[in-house]
Amino acid sequence: DGGITQSPKYLFRKEGQNVTLSCEQNLNHDAMYWYRQDPGQGLRLIYYSQIVNDFQKGDIAEGYSVSREKKESFPLTVTSAQKNPTAFYLCASTATGNGNQPQHFGDGTRLSIL
Amino acid sequence: GQQVMQIPQYQHVQEGEDFTTYCNSSTTLSNIQWYKQRPGGHPVFLIQLVKSGEVKKQKRLTFQFGEAKKNSSLHITATQTTDVGTYFCAGMDSSYKLIFGSGTRLLVRP
């Protein structure tokens, strides 16, 4: 059953702590994306990767980092530099990075500050 | 930067009434996609429009792309309780990234 798996579903971060959100896909998609969604708002792009070992900043990359060492994996680290990390984080993928295909989303991770 | 505005923010209708959400871009879009997000869920792709003036239908849902490719709309005829959720439009910018609108939250009274 192909899809995108995000873990954990809920995550709590202490002050000054870095946390990593996992995103794995078995769709054999080239491109992967990380979005942040705040209550009652749309999705804002954090980082995206169109191919393995390459990624670009989105609109709100400050305080976040990513890696793309494998095609199927695109983990997001929320660093201590991100002062307001409480949000719903969504990972998505598309077959290629040309923007002409539907985005497939994972179930998301809800991050809160302790 | 490029922006995609969506109105209204909320719409509360009686079951059986129609519903429309509108999307406007500050620049011409290559294409526009529509997504539905159920409460507590993730966005699910509904449709993509590419051509100027394009109209597509999915059962009770009608999607339009403006002639200038700067605006779009989603119309639902005779809403049902299963239509509840937030509807997002998303336009592709010149860097092949999707810019999402802020969404319209639809509530349906049974």
Side-chain angles (χ1 to χ4, degrees):
Chain A
D1 202 16
I4 298 180
T5 302
Q6 288 187 243
S7 62
K9 190 169 183 177
Y10 299 96
L11 187 58
F12 298 92
R13 195 192 88 171
K14 295 179 181 178
E15 292 285 342
Q17 185 182 42
N18 293 354
V19 292
T20 297
L21 284 59
S22 170
C23 179
E24 302 278 330
Q25 55 102 355
N26 60 5
L27 299 167
N28 199 32
H29 283 179
D30 286 336
M32 297 185 75
Y33 309 81
W34 274 105
Y35 293 93
R36 170 179 171 141
Q37 186 175 32
D38 292 282
Q41 297 190 30
L43 282 66
R44 292 185 290 167
L45 184 65
I46 306 172
Y47 268 98
Y48 65 105
S49 167
Q50 294 177 309
I51 198 167
V52 175
N53 292 321
D54 187 41
F55 50 83
Q56 286 81 39
K57 292 181 179 180
D59 300 317
I60 55 166
E62 186 173 350
Y64 300 97
S65 66
V66 293
S67 63
R68 187 87 188 276
E69 298 175 1
K70 297 186 298 181
K71 186 175 185 177
E72 57 270 22
S73 179
F74 191 40
L76 173 74
T77 296
V78 184
T79 75
S80 56
Q82 173 50 247
K83 297 306 178 188
N84 184 23
T86 297
F88 187 42
Y89 290 87
L90 286 158
C91 179
S93 71
T94 54
T96 67
N98 68 9
N100 246 0
Q101 288 131 12
Q103 300 219 344
H104 298 260
F105 286 87
D107 288 337
T109 293
R110 294 191 185 276
L111 176 62
S112 301
I113 290 289
L114 278 179
Chain B
Q2 186 168 359
Q3 288 188 327
V4 175
M5 309 299 293
Q6 196 171 348
I7 57 170
Q9 188 175 7
Y10 299 97
Q11 186 92 44
H12 202 174
V13 301
Q14 185 71 41
E15 189 173 20
E17 291 181 338
D18 292 354
F19 159 78
T20 305
T21 173
Y22 301 91
C23 198
N24 290 285
S25 170
S26 54
T27 58
T28 302
L29 299 168
S30 300
N31 63 40
I32 195 153
Q33 298 178 357
W34 284 92
Y35 292 80
K36 177 182 178 181
Q37 184 175 25
R38 293 184 185 275
H42 59 268
V44 174
F45 174 79
L46 294 176
I47 207 160
Q48 175 172 275
L49 305 171
V50 179
K51 299 177 184 176
S52 169
E54 190 170 13
V55 178
K56 286 188 176 181
K57 292 190 176 185
Q58 287 180 350
K59 297 182 180 179
R60 295 178 293 104
L61 278 61
T62 302
F63 304 84
Q64 293 189 336
F65 201 9
E67 293 290 341
K69 300 184 75 173
K70 295 177 75 171
N71 58 75
S72 181
S73 65
L74 158 60
H75 180 83
I76 302 178
T77 304
T79 55
Q80 300 175 358
T81 54
T82 53
D83 295 325
V84 164
T86 301
Y87 294 84
F88 292 99
C89 62
M92 189 174 75
D93 72 4
S94 55
S95 304
Y96 303 108
K97 300 194 309 287
L98 278 184
I99 309 296
F100 280 81
S102 53
T104 296
R105 184 177 175 190
L106 173 63
L107 303 170
V108 180
R109 290 190 296 269

